[in-house]
């Protein structure tokens, strides 16, 4: 069965510090992987996606993620966080073609200390 | 462009009441989806419509019905609401290609008393 695990429910970092959010997936075929961000009271916004090719993908707002097939991971990173990055982050996996029936992780809530 | 529009944004129901959540997209997307979001559980797919005229169950379809009214609109109906259906509901849409991405609405917060 398809599944996505985000091991960290809540992470707190200081402004300017680096960030890594973990995502592990279980998927029977070649996965299409996504990271979404949700600010309080808002819908989900796509940060970045991986379909194929270079395993290090760049996204919006200075985020990047690395696909590691051997570890079934797709971790999200940012070198220096800003207070505006405080939000909930969701990793998701999907089939690619046709209807995108994404399976989401539980989410990681990010708090930024000033 | 408005993207994906959901109505209403907030709703309070009593157990046993019915209601319909409306969703419309103006991006000419073929596929549409309804997800629910609960604390600690991420988003779970309720129903989806791969194209106009088709609907299919997702992970948690019990207690819900959907209608793909036309290419733009996809509604979610609760026939007899239960407290377990208290949640935030998100509609999304996408193009049917390998590079497609879900575009989400702002969400509808439903409370069932």
């Amino acid at each position: 069965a398809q599944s996505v695990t985000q091991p960290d429910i809540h992470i707190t970092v200081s402004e300017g510090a680096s960030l890594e959010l973990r995502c592990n997936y279980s998927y029977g075929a070649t996965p299409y992987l996504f990271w979404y961000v949700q600010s309080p009271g808002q819908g989900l916004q796509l940060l970045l996606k991986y379909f194929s090719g270079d395993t290090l993908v760049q996204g919006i707002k200075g985020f990047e993620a690395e696909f590691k097939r051997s570890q079934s991971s797709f971790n999200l990173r940012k070198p220096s966080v800003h207070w505006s990055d405080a939000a909930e982050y969701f990793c998701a996996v999907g089939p690619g073609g046709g209807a995108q029936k994404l399976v989401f992780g539980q989410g990681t809530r990010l708090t930024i200390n000033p | 462009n408005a993207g994906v529009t959901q109505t209403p944004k907030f709703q309070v129901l009593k157990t046993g009441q019915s209601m319909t959540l409306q969703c419309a997209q103006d991006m000419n997307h073929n596929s549409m989806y309804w997800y629910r979001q609960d604390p600690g559980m991420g988003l779970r797919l309720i129903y989806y419509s791969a194209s106009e005229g088709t609907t299919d169950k997702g992970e948690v379809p019990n207690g819900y019905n959907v209608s793909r009214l036309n290419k733009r609109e996809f509604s979610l109906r609760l026939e007899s609401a239960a407290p377990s259906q208290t949640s935030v509901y998100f509609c999304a849409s996408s193009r049917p290609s390998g590079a497609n991405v879900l575009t989400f609405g702002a969400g509808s917060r439903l409370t069932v008393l």
Side-chain angles (χ1 to χ4, degrees), chain A residues 32 34 36 38 41-44 46 49 51 88 90 96-107, chain B residues 31 33 35 37 40-43 45 48 50 90 94-106:
Chain A
Y32 282 55
F34 306 82
Y36 282 86
Q38 183 182 34
Q42 303 295 314
L44 278 74
L46 180 72
K49 60 186 183 291
F51 293 144
E88 190 150 21
F90 293 94
Q100 279 291 353
K101 296 172 287 179
L102 296 187
V103 175
F104 283 83
Q106 303 91 323
Chain B
S31 303
Y33 314 80
Y35 283 87
Q37 182 181 26
M41 305 192 73
L43 280 78
L45 183 63
Y48 68 99
F90 287 97
S94 69
R95 291 193 301 267
S97 73
N100 76 79
V101 169
L102 266 64
T103 300
F104 285 85

Side-chain angles (χ1 to χ4, degrees), chain A residues 3-99:
Chain A
S3 66
V4 176
T5 301
Q6 294 179 244
D8 304 305
I9 296 173
H10 184 203
I11 285 181
T12 300
V13 299
S14 298
E15 190 168 15
S18 63
L19 172 70
E20 182 170 29
L21 302 183
R22 296 182 292 165
C23 172
N24 294 97
Y25 66 90
S26 173
Y27 200 74
T30 300
Y32 282 55
L33 294 156
F34 306 82
W35 275 100
Y36 282 86
V37 60
Q38 183 182 34
S39 298
Q42 303 295 314
L44 278 74
Q45 180 184 20
L46 180 72
L47 278 177
L48 48 78
K49 60 186 183 291
Y50 173 78
F51 293 144
S52 64
D54 192 345
T55 56
L56 184 64
V57 294
Q58 303 297 320
I60 62 171
K61 305 184 180 185
F63 285 92
E64 66 178 26
E66 186 171 13
F67 171 58
K68 293 185 177 180
R69 185 185 300 275
S70 61
Q71 298 178 20
S72 297
S73 69
F74 188 57
N75 294 349
L76 182 72
R77 300 195 293 252
K78 187 170 185 178
S80 176
V81 298
H82 186 262
W83 63 266
S84 60
D85 293 325
E88 190 150 21
Y89 292 79
F90 293 94
C91 181
V93 64

Side-chain angles (χ1 to χ4, degrees), chain B residues 53-84:
Chain B
T54 69
T55 61
D56 283 290
K57 296 178 181 179
E59 181 185 355
V60 288
N62 291 347
Y64 304 95
N65 287 301
V66 291
S67 295
R68 183 74 183 266
L69 304 171
N70 47 55
K71 189 172 185 178
R72 290 186 63 247
E73 298 172 288
F74 188 39
S75 63
L76 178 71
R77 182 161 179 84
L78 288 69
E79 291 289 354
S80 179
S84 61

